[in-house]
């Protein structure tokens, strides 16, 4: 007797879906970020996206890049297209020392490990240090991609409050002491000291010293993530934490914002013993980072005026930052606050009391403007009153238009709140984990 | 009072070295492979290296590649040099379907995830499936880079015996049953069905069916690693396991051997639910695989006769395989055996009884020939009587010279054995885990 459709066994295609027990425990921490869900709508042409963090690289001289690539293939294509050592192309590691010099770092090329963007550097650092349940200390709020890595390795993130000068040293001291007192292991402090993602704020020099002192006292490693360090709008770059404590700091750098992200070339500079472990981890993860990309970046640094290019990127981003701050001043209600970044890509804004950035997001999309709700940047559900506004990608007039649209949405929300009371709120309001920009 | 040098505290630079407790438990599994240690000596010009696995890409038309790169930058450089989606460049994912067609795979581009070489595909698959202590079944011997990944995720590898037709189905059945009976979880079978690394042997079609049937019976996932599938020297490519059971098999592919490894472009083709997890894991590991590399490969596939290029690679490798087999026949003592690969890069040789490949390796280097001792390809210390000989990189006359030198070393070892008895032996002699090439 033939089986009817109802009697047929469940088709095999669905079995791995159904059987979640098959996956590793860590796979439970792998969930789509709030940013990702936004991007399909944010990328529609009619929407002004203040959501993305992609650099604007349209200023790169494509003719120069094209011709140096052609030369690269003809001159040393066979080497540039084959496997190479896991630690990275030695001449590039030397050149990376030059790139780190403006932030005060003196190092040996032997302590540099090239990675698939600095994202992979963070992945490898977490891989070698963190067992499930280990604690990572991070700013509140922090980079969403870092929180994703920590979740994937089943770390517990403990956020430390910031103000307009970044991480607050006293809170850091208390947080570390309290984690240690509870018998848990703090594996490292993860910090973005310059033009932080998502807040745009930077640590002043004296706080850097205080933070290093606290980490020394508690014997905690520092992971210093510095993708925006050379993209400051005023004066000289800030001195890296790594420059003042080479043995305690793993420094992560990237060419994604100073050249182009599509080559996926970043690096970690680490104390020697950690460097060894990172190379082994890299070998196992990829055999070697993309050889060709490394040759491209090396050739670009050698043949192009990369310092001049960064200068022109800085000017372009400064103009966009100004457009955003001016528009915020011009259009936003007085009860809204925001940070004033001195570099980088982001402004962190706090909505008027009683408004919820996540609940407001669909309404903003309807009004053709996108941003990232603040909760994406907290491991603990805080940040619902906040949002990240990026000025890196749209041109100034689009930024102004986007902020104008957003201000209209905020005004509507305020009217609704007047009429119906506060919106739905997340578990935390940023009171216990205050963010910057509230002053 | 000033401290004397002896009284000074240990300098801070050494602390992370000293404090191994700081690292994650998984970092203990990250050790330098036996291959790695060899490479610095094997690369000396006077040494004939039969150790490496790098493809010989000197046949690639550099003028074509150079000009397509130049056009790529000028035509769509801004997109090719920026971030992109974590799953991979959509046109490339479509083209990958074409590349998999010769091995009988029909699939949807939506189930392809682009990775940083197929090494990273294996890393991500292991990441989403394996908790510490989970069991991975692998051929005996197996790919050293896969064993490194499994160690880094703290998996236990259970090897299954092979013969000249690859993995032996009955042994696989017994091994899986016995692991399950002991209460441990088998997460997947890892297999290289075509021209296996390190043995060069391939699974005949009927064994493929038997293996799939066994994995269905025990409900075990199959990870099919197929970097050499299109590099067969005779007839049509073998049909992939994936072609006959799309829901049970994760197929890993690579452009490293059919185009060039330096772009680091590989892929995983996975059942839909697993595909979702892989994309999330990729996002967390790298944000996205190298955009530019993906555009290069896509442009290469579109504009170059890639099938013709693979044909010419095949002819070049066949000539080298022949050179190696002829030299082995001409120079080696009768008590030595080896496999006869029908494609790929490797011959697996078994030394005469009483000889140890690892102990012999320094003497071979002295005689200016390098190979990889068999123990590198076992997670359990077996393989000491065996060695891997690569014919992929040196030209035919160098291969012949290398085998001639190696045969002289083997003859010397045999004389020593006659005089002094057997060499130092590893824990296993390949009796419990027999390898191929013994017949």
């Amino acid at each position: 007797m033939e089986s009817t459709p109802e009697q047929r066994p469940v088709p095999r295609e669905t079995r791995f879906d159904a059987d979640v027990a098959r996956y590793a425990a860590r796979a439970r921490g792998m969930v789509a970020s709030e940013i990702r869900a936004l991007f399909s709508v944010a990328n529609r042409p009619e929407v002004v996206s203040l959501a993305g963090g992609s650099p604007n690289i349209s200023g790169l001289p494509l003719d120069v890049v094209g011709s140096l690539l052609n030369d690269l293939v003809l001159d040393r294509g066979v080497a540039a297209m084959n496997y190479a050592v896991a630690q990275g192309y030695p001449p590039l590691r030397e050149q990376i020392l030059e790139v780190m010099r403006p932030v005060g770092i003196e190092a040996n090329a032997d302590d540099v490990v090239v990675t698939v963007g600095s994202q992979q550097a963070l992945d490898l650092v977490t891989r070698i240090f963190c067992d499930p349940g280990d604690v990572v200390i991070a700013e509140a709020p922090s980079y969403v991609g870092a929180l994703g890595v920590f979740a994937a390795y089943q770390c517990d993130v403990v956020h430390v409050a910031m103000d307009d000068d970044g991480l607050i040293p006293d809170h850091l001291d208390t947080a570390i002491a309290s984690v240690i007192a509870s018998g848990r292991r703090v594996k490292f402090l993860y910090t973005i000291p310059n033009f932080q993602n998502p807040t745009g704020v930077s640590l002043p020099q004296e706080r850097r010293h205080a933070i290093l002192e606290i980490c020394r006292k508690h014997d905690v490693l520092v992971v210093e993530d510095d993708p925006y360090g050379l993209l400051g709008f005023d004066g000289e770059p800030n001195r890296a934490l790594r420059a003042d404590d080479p043995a305690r700091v793993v420094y992560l750098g990237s060419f994604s914002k100073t050249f182009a992200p599509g080559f996926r070339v970043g690096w970690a500079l680490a104390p020697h013993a950690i460097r060894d472990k990172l190379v082994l981890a890299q070998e196992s993860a990829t055999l070697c980072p993309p050889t060709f990309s490394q040759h491209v970046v090396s050739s670009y640094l050698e043949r192009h005026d990369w310092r001049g290019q960064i200068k022109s990127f800085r000017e372009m981003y400064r103009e966009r930052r100004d457009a955003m701050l001016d528009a915020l001043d011009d259009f936003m209600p007085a009860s809204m606050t925001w940070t004033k970044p001195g570099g980088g890509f982001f402004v962190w804004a706090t909505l008027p009391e009683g408004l919820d950035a996540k609940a407001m997001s669909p309404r903003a999309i309807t009004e053709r403007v996108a941003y990232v709700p603040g909760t994406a940047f907290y491991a603990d559900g805080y940040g619902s009153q906040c949002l990240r506004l990026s000025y890196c990608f749209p041109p100034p007039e689009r930024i102004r238009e986007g902020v104008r649209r957003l201000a209209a949405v905020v005004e509507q929300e305020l009217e609704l709140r007047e009429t119906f009371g506060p919106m739905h709120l997340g578990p935390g309001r940023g009171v216990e984990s205050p963010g910057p920009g509230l002053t």
Side-chain angles (χ1 to χ4, degrees), chain A residues 38-51 364-371 394 398 402 405:
Chain A
L38 260 176
F39 278 168
S40 54
V41 282
N43 284 336
R44 284 190 221 136
E46 72 274 17
V47 173
V48 176
S49 178
L50 307 175
I365 296 281
T366 308
E367 298 301 323
R368 294 165 298 130
V369 58
Y371 59 82
R398 292 279 286 172
R405 292 175 189 175

Side-chain angles (χ1 to χ4, degrees), chain A residues 17 168 197 258 331 346 430:
Chain A
D17 216 334
I168 303 167
N197 182 357
T258 53
F331 298 125
F346 307 109

Side-chain angles (χ1 to χ4, degrees), chain A residues 125-126 128-130 135-137 172 176 186-191 211-212 214-224 241 245-251 269-271 274 278:
Chain A
V125 167
T126 310
I128 65 171
F129 280 108
C130 294
V135 172
V136 172
I137 307 275
L172 175 65
I176 297 176
V186 177
K187 281 304 173 76
F188 53 80
L189 163 67
Y190 171 74
T191 179
I211 287 167
L212 282 174
I214 290 162
C215 289
R216 273 193 292 269
K217 184 176 83 178
H218 296 290
D219 195 20
V220 164
L221 183 73
V222 178
V223 177
E224 176 179 27
L241 293 160
D245 200 340
R248 179 153 308 274
V249 180
V250 177
Y251 178 91
L269 170 70
I274 297 175
L278 288 175

Side-chain angles (χ1 to χ4, degrees), chain A residues 99-394:
Chain A
V99 176
M100 293 191 293
R101 208 144 284 155
V103 296
I105 293 178
E106 297 292 330
N108 191 307
D110 200 38
D111 292 335
V112 174
V113 181
V114 178
T115 54
V116 185
S118 60
Q119 182 74 18
Q120 199 219 5
L122 186 58
D123 183 90
L124 297 182
V125 167
T126 310
R127 180 188 296 221
I128 65 171
F129 280 108
C130 294
D131 287 311
D134 282 349
V135 172
V136 172
I137 307 275
E139 284 135 353
S142 186
Y143 166 51
V144 61
L147 299 181
V149 170
F150 303 147
Y153 286 97
Q154 302 164 269
C155 306
D156 289 338
V157 173
V158 170
H159 282 294
V160 173
M162 305 170 79
D163 60 19
D164 285 342
D165 286 332
L167 201 58
I168 303 167
D170 283 352
H171 288 239
L172 175 65
D173 194 15
T174 311
I176 297 176
S178 121
V179 172
I180 292 173
S182 74
R184 298 157 79 204
R185 293 182 299 181
V186 177
K187 281 304 173 76
F188 53 80
L189 163 67
Y190 171 74
T191 179
I192 305 170
N194 297 312
F195 322 120
Q196 197 236 13
N197 182 357
T199 63
V201 306
S202 295
L203 285 171
Q205 195 55 45
E206 61 277 16
R207 280 216 181 164
R208 293 173 191 240
H209 289 147
I211 287 167
L212 282 174
E213 193 51 49
I214 290 162
C215 289
R216 273 193 292 269
K217 184 176 83 178
H218 296 290
D219 195 20
V220 164
L221 183 73
V222 178
V223 177
E224 176 179 27
D225 192 1
D226 194 22
Y228 311 104
L230 299 184
L231 293 177
F233 304 143
D234 317 287
E236 291 303 302
N238 294 320
R239 188 171 165 85
L241 293 160
R242 164 59 176 74
D244 291 314
D245 200 340
R248 179 153 308 274
V249 180
V250 177
Y251 178 91
L252 311 185
S254 172
F255 289 104
S256 293
K257 278 81 185 183
T258 53
F259 173 32
F263 297 104
R264 309 305 299 118
V265 178
W267 70 91
L269 170 70
H272 212 74
I274 297 175
R275 190 289 313 257
D276 280 349
K277 294 277 184 204
L278 288 175
V279 172
L280 289 169
Q282 178 65 288
E283 224 166 52
S284 152
T286 68
L287 295 183
C288 65
T291 321
F292 193 78
S293 286
Q294 295 180 72
H295 279 262
V296 172
V297 174
S298 177
S299 184
Y300 171 83
L301 292 173
E302 188 188 325
R303 289 181 35 179
H304 187 58
D305 173 20
W306 59 272
R307 290 178 183 86
Q309 185 66 55
I310 291 176
K311 193 158 170 280
S312 95
F313 279 145
R314 269 202 301 261
E315 281 156 17
M316 178 263 300
Y317 290 127
R318 188 201 342 244
E319 190 192 351
R320 288 165 188 222
R321 188 266 323 251
D322 291 345
M324 178 166 279
L325 293 182
D326 288 349
L328 286 165
D329 276 337
D330 292 347
F331 298 125
M332 284 295 171
S335 50
M336 177 126 172
T337 59
W338 54 86
T339 56
K340 319 283 185 295
F345 287 7
F346 307 109
V347 165
W348 180 251
T350 303
L351 292 170
E353 196 65 41
L355 264 53
D356 182 305
K358 200 166 173 180
M360 191 175 83
S361 178
R363 293 188 273 269
I365 296 281
T366 308
E367 298 301 323
R368 294 165 298 130
V369 58
Y371 59 82
V372 183
T375 43
F377 306 98
Y378 287 82
D380 55 11
Y382 282 86
S384 56
Q385 200 182 332
C386 300
L387 47 115
R388 189 189 76 177
L389 300 173
S390 319
Y391 52 80
C392 45
F393 205 74

